[in-house]
Amino acid sequence: MLNLVLRRLLTGIPTLLLLLTLCFFLMRLAPGGPFDRERSLPPAVETALRAEYHLDESLWQQYRRYLGGIAQGDFGPSFQYEGYRVQELIAAGLPVSLQLGGAALLLALLAGGALAVLAVRKPGGPLDRALMSLTLLGICLPNYVVAPLLVLLFALTLGWLPAGGWQPGQWRDLVLPVAALALPQIAYIARILRSSLLETLAAPYIRAARARGLSESRVLLVHAIKPALLPLISYLGPAAAALLTGSVVIEQVFGIPGLGRYFVQAALNRDYTLVLGVVTLYGALVLLCNLLVDLAYGALDPRQRAA
Amino acid sequence: MSLLRRLPRSAQLALLLLMLLALAAMLVPLLSPYACDQIDFGGVWSAPPGLQAAHWLGTDSLGRDLLVRGFCGARVSLLVGLVGTLVALLIGVSYGALAGYFAGRLDALMMRVVDVLYALPFMFLVIVLMALFGRHFLLLFVALGAVLWLDMARLVRGQTLALREREFVAAARLAGLSELQILRRHILPNLAGVVIVYATLTVPQVILVESFISFLGLGVQEPLTSWGVLINDGAREMQSSIWPLLIPCLLLLLTLLCLNLIGEALRAALEPQVRR
């Protein structure tokens, strides 16, 4: 296990470096710069600004300077938010995004799991069919559709919850964004877990457990669930990535001061360092999620441990 | 045709609906007296729905006909879905088939590349790309294809690995066919089932990604429009009127639902091992 962690960390670094390099040069290839304004700056000011941010150096020099900074934990100054380092901006936005994503993931797992367990009690029965139609609908409703519809219903029409905004400790602010982020995931998780549960329930050892007279819920929740979790767990790596991208939209719709909201704006404003910082962070998060998935796989299925 | 008859009723219905939708996307903007971006100053906020009204489903805040705009968006979204899938298909199948057929060291190397690419948060790269280089239609296709070919490559490679051990491949080799001939005449046709199923399920994904990017304001640009753009516009106006939001949402939902139903049904019909 330690071996796996070490190997993943070692391969993770070049992957992140590749991502960083790709992004760095892509951004510099693009037309426009961080100091383009509607009214152009006086040449002297622009030259001074460019020198201040080292934009007057060659690309290669800038790239080396940037990597050198990262090695020391410094992601450079933001172009858009004067006087802030990128890591300060990330430190402000990340906890908000993590809270949102974590709550959504938890909700999706609980609700999706419950739906799947309900559905397999009578496969092909009316409840199963209704739930599967419902989850198919859920898959077809991306979160940027769900979010405005939820706002329309619960905030504007019924007035139960706020339409947006974010104050620490206000759970009411959290309800709609988390629901919008989680709903499509609930549908995916329910469908995946249902089909893997059905597959597991057909295994001989389940028949043996039933023959021993164990109750149906014990068979389902103790004997069948563990192997059935494996496909779900391998889905959770990409799901984490989906939650992260989803939060870009959700944070925009609900005006939540997380990382995602910075991101699009930063790319549009050519805030090179901020975009790079956020992309790198997302890349690291995805790699971390994949590692956790593999660890969980090993924990659940001893046959996977050797690999 | 026999395949069509083997599909369940729901999938046949979905196929019919989808064809109607595509037909409407072609015809509605042509036959309507209003163009996609034509502004009717008299019709601003005319209340929907009503067949007697000048605008059957009303207009948006600028006085543009919602029905026509919904189907103009359908044109772009459906087209992007098809072309994006084609790009992903082309790259994914050729890459996967090559890796799987030649196996060994080449396969290991090629799949290693896929693994690394998998670990990248591609959606973010796409967002960066679209934000930086402006909203090129072509770029959108390239970006979408680049994101979605990975799954296809993995799938095809797995299938090909299994196929290359089969007797008919050995027979073809004994008959003196070159590697490329075997690949083209014997491997690729046998991949068709898997590829068709997966392609059907990729179309809704591409449509989703496109509308996601357009929703962020980074995709298709005026005067062109897509469902993502319309949903974004509608969400901004929803306090005054819900129709500009609901109509593109419903069209998107309907399309995705149909495509998913067809894809699932095809999978059940063409891949008997997962049939249940």
Side-chain angles (χ1 to χ4, degrees):
Chain A
M1 190 161 114
L2 193 67
N3 216 336
L4 174 75
V5 175
L6 276 179
R7 208 174 55 218
R8 279 313 186 75
L9 288 181
L10 281 181
T11 54
I13 291 168
T15 309
L16 277 183
L17 200 65
L18 175 78
L19 176 67
L20 204 78
T21 311
L22 203 69
C23 225
F24 183 92
F25 287 103
L26 256 180
M27 282 203 291
R28 297 312 172 89
L29 277 176
F35 304 120
D36 292 352
R37 297 281 186 281
E38 309 229 325
R39 230 162 42 119
S40 60
L41 295 162
V45 176
E46 177 147 8
T47 316
L49 267 176
R50 292 180 68 85
E52 167 78 23
Y53 286 99
H54 303 291
L55 286 177
D56 50 350
E57 295 174 356
S58 75
L59 254 190
W60 180 241
Q61 270 175 324
Q62 288 180 45
Y63 177 65
R64 279 194 11 214
R65 178 186 296 280
Y66 185 68
L67 286 189
I70 288 182
Q72 296 165 19
D74 179 19
F75 285 79
S78 163
F79 289 83
Q80 194 184 352
Y81 302 91
E82 261 170 73
Y84 286 98
R85 314 297 289 180
V86 167
Q87 61 268 28
E88 291 166 351
L89 292 171
I90 287 178
L94 184 63
V96 176
S97 289
L98 282 184
Q99 218 176 324
L100 186 66
L105 187 62
L106 194 69
L107 175 64
L109 280 175
L110 290 178
L115 289 184
V117 168
L118 277 179
V120 294
R121 297 219 88 142
K122 272 214 178 65
L127 183 65
D128 182 31
R129 286 225 299 268
L131 281 178
M132 282 309 108
S133 315
L134 216 61
T135 52
L136 184 63
L137 209 65
I139 286 178
C140 298
L141 276 173
N143 44 35
Y144 50 84
V145 171
V146 174
L149 290 178
L150 284 180
V151 170
L152 187 65
L153 183 62
F154 290 102
L156 299 180
T157 312
L158 296 172
W160 291 351
L161 292 160
W166 181 274
Q167 274 141 17
Q170 278 284 352
W171 64 269
R172 287 161 58 89
D173 288 344
L174 215 71
V175 177
L176 287 185
V178 167
L181 203 50
L183 271 178
Q185 297 303 323
I186 292 176
Y188 276 109
I189 289 175
R191 289 177 82 85
I192 292 170
L193 193 59
R194 170 188 175 269
S195 77
S196 71
L197 266 176
L198 279 181
E199 204 166 314
T200 319
L201 284 175
Y205 76 92
I206 294 291
R207 272 174 71 192
R210 284 196 178 128
R212 295 210 311 273
L214 298 182
S215 75
E216 192 57 21
S217 27
R218 195 175 159 78
V219 168
L220 199 62
L221 295 177
V222 178
H223 293 250
I225 200 88
K226 214 167 128 181
L229 277 179
L230 290 175
L232 179 62
I233 282 173
S234 41
Y235 169 73
L236 285 183
L243 279 177
L244 290 175
T245 25
S247 70
V248 172
V249 170
I250 297 298
E251 286 173 18
Q252 230 178 29
V253 171
F254 291 96
I256 294 169
L259 274 186
R261 207 163 63 128
Y262 283 137
F263 182 71
V264 177
Q265 211 48 48
L268 285 173
N269 288 336
R270 307 287 187 271
D271 191 341
Y272 299 135
T273 42
L274 186 53
V275 172
L276 276 176
V278 176
V279 169
T280 313
L281 183 76
Y282 280 139
L285 278 178
V286 171
L287 286 178
L288 187 70
C289 287
N290 287 338
L291 173 62
L292 288 180
V293 163
D294 283 358
L295 287 179
Y297 231 91
L300 277 176
D301 186 354
R303 286 167 302 177
Q304 302 275 338
R305 274 177 214 164
Chain B
M1 280 305 108
S2 67
L3 175 67
L4 198 62
R5 225 167 284 142
R6 259 163 57 203
L7 295 181
R9 189 58 54 79
S10 62
Q12 290 175 355
L13 202 68
L15 194 62
L16 187 71
L17 253 175
L18 202 62
M19 289 198 300
L20 283 179
L21 204 77
L23 200 69
M26 275 186 272
L27 292 183
V28 168
L30 277 183
L31 298 180
S32 160
Y34 307 102
C36 288
D37 51 353
Q38 186 188 336
I39 294 171
D40 178 1
F41 291 101
V44 178
W45 292 131
S46 63
L51 292 182
Q52 304 88 341
H55 302 275
W56 287 356
L57 293 179
T59 64
D60 65 5
S61 63
L62 293 175
R64 294 177 293 194
D65 189 279
L66 281 180
L67 180 72
V68 174
R69 270 181 88 65
F71 283 110
C72 289
R75 282 180 171 185
V76 173
S77 286
L78 291 176
L79 191 73
V80 169
L82 284 179
V83 178
T85 303
L86 220 60
V87 172
L89 212 67
L90 231 63
I91 308 177
V93 171
S94 37
Y95 196 93
L98 275 179
Y101 186 69
F102 291 106
R105 219 182 276 164
L106 181 72
D107 173 47
L109 182 72
M110 285 173 86
M111 284 301 122
R112 192 66 231 156
V113 172
V114 171
D115 284 344
V116 170
L117 291 179
Y118 243 109
L120 300 182
F122 258 109
M123 277 314 301
F124 293 99
L125 276 183
V126 172
I127 294 174
V128 172
L129 213 65
M130 299 307 289
L132 291 175
F133 288 90
R135 297 113 207 216
H136 254 286
F137 213 57
L138 201 71
L139 191 67
L140 190 62
F141 288 135
V142 174
L144 292 179
V147 177
L148 290 164
W149 69 272
L150 295 171
D151 287 318
M152 190 54 136
R154 276 198 172 168
L155 195 76
V156 167
R157 177 238 175 204
Q159 291 284 319
T160 313
L161 268 183
L163 281 175
R164 72 189 286 272
E165 306 298 334
R166 298 275 291 273
E167 291 87 351
F168 63 85
V169 174
R173 193 166 289 134
L174 275 179
L177 264 65
S178 77
E179 301 284 6
L180 276 181
Q181 277 173 320
I182 297 177
L183 204 54
R184 221 185 57 222
R185 284 196 212 151
H186 296 274
I187 302 281
L188 286 185
N190 275 298
L191 290 171
V194 183
V195 169
I196 288 172
V197 171
Y198 192 74
T200 321
L201 293 171
T202 304
V203 179
Q205 279 187 54
V206 181
I207 293 179
L208 272 178
V209 176
E210 185 276 326
S211 52
F212 168 76
I213 292 170
S214 291
F215 180 85
L216 287 176
L218 299 173
V220 181
Q221 230 178 351
E222 297 290 344
L224 285 177
T225 190
S226 79
W227 287 330
V229 179
L230 292 174
I231 291 170
N232 191 12
D233 288 351
R236 259 190 255 135
E237 293 172 4
M238 69 187 168
Q239 271 175 302
S240 341
S241 164
I242 55 168
W243 296 98
L245 174 64
L246 278 186
I247 290 164
C249 280
L250 283 177
L251 284 174
L252 178 71
L253 177 67
L254 194 66
T255 309
L256 297 180
L257 213 56
C258 288
L259 283 166
N260 276 316
L261 273 174
I262 298 168
E264 297 284 328
L266 279 176
R267 171 179 283 170
L270 292 174
E271 294 176 45
Q273 67 271 24
V274 289
R275 192 185 300 166
R276 247 193 300 276

